[in-house]
Amino acid sequence: MADNFTTTDASSGTVTLRASDDSTAKSAVVVSSMAYPSQTMTRTADTNAYAANDSVNSSVSSPTVMTFTGCARANGMGGSIEGCELVIDEKNTTPAEFHLWLFNASPTATNDNAAFAPSTGDSNKVVAHLIFTAADMSDGTNSRLYSAVNCPKVFQCAGGTTSLYGVMQTRTAYTPASGITYQFTLAIRQET
């Protein structure tokens, strides 16, 4: 009788399978598994308008880079970004459009509301950029939900890390509310 296998759990990296004919445990190699790293960034406490292509960040003088941990299963490995959701906790009058730039090593952060202009060295660290458009935006009662429109994106982390590093940029001009938060959640199919 041929073995009939059933997958029990793909999250651990090794899947235990049970054969129907003799009930002995079988092993298999996981080809991929899913991960959902998330980061929330709170912008500055002002309502200064952004021009198109400005950096959106947490500070006008000491900005930080978002770190998405656990993007790869092991240091230096990669995968495919299958999707990304962006939730903004404020419903502004005019929907805006954004980029999320992802790097395999932490870039120099750009001050909030300054033109996003990475150095050549930082540009060489880019592994993906995700686009969020008003056409793919949905209004909630007190928030806006965007889905990235240009997935999947294949990436590889740098040696020594499983993280990707994110910087947010406006694609269009808009006036934000004070101190609002932007939450990005990646949907990653990790290679093994």
Side-chain angles (χ1 to χ4, degrees):
M1 173 186 287
D3 290 344
N4 295 316
F5 299 109
T6 302
T7 301
T8 58
D9 178 19
S11 64
S12 64
T14 300
V15 178
T16 301
L17 305 172
R18 186 78 48 193
S20 62
D21 61 343
D22 62 4
S23 297
T24 58
K26 308 291 182 182
S27 294
V29 175
V30 175
V31 176
S32 66
S33 63
M34 295 298 294
Y36 300 92
S38 182
Q39 269 293 300
T40 299
M41 185 262 297
T42 302
R43 70 168 302 280
T44 57
D46 61 48
T47 57
N48 297 334
Y50 290 99
N53 302 316
D54 276 353
S55 174
V56 180
N57 212 310
S58 57
S59 173
V60 296
S61 59
S62 56
T64 58
V65 173
M66 290 179 280
T67 302
F68 295 87
T69 58
C71 292
R73 291 182 60 79
N75 290 346
M77 295 183 72
S80 174
I81 301 167
E82 300 293 308
C84 183
E85 303 302 318
L86 164 60
V87 177
I88 302 174
D89 75 342
E90 177 68 29
K91 188 175 173 180
N92 294 312
T93 304
T94 304
E97 301 191 350
F98 304 99
H99 275 146
L100 175 63
W101 293 91
L102 293 170
F103 302 77
N104 65 6
S106 188
T108 300
T110 304
N111 289 338
D112 182 66
N113 224 318
F116 176 71
S119 68
T120 300
D122 283 341
S123 295
N124 288 332
K125 301 172 189 174
V126 172
V127 294
H129 79 283
L130 305 180
I131 299 171
F132 302 87
T133 70
D136 286 87
M137 176 276 301
S138 179
D139 278 332
T141 303
N142 298 303
S143 62
R144 284 214 158 104
L145 170 65
Y146 293 79
S147 292
V149 298
N150 62 328
C151 294
K153 293 284 187 179
V154 176
F155 71 93
Q156 182 173 1
C157 292
T161 186
T162 63
S163 297
L164 293 178
Y165 304 88
V167 175
M168 186 177 180
Q169 174 195 24
T170 60
R171 286 169 46 92
T172 56
Y174 92 111
T175 302
S178 178
I180 61 177
T181 63
Y182 304 85
Q183 179 177 308
F184 291 95
T185 303
L186 302 172
I188 294 178
R189 187 173 304 280
Q190 298 173 320
E191 69 175 351
T192 59

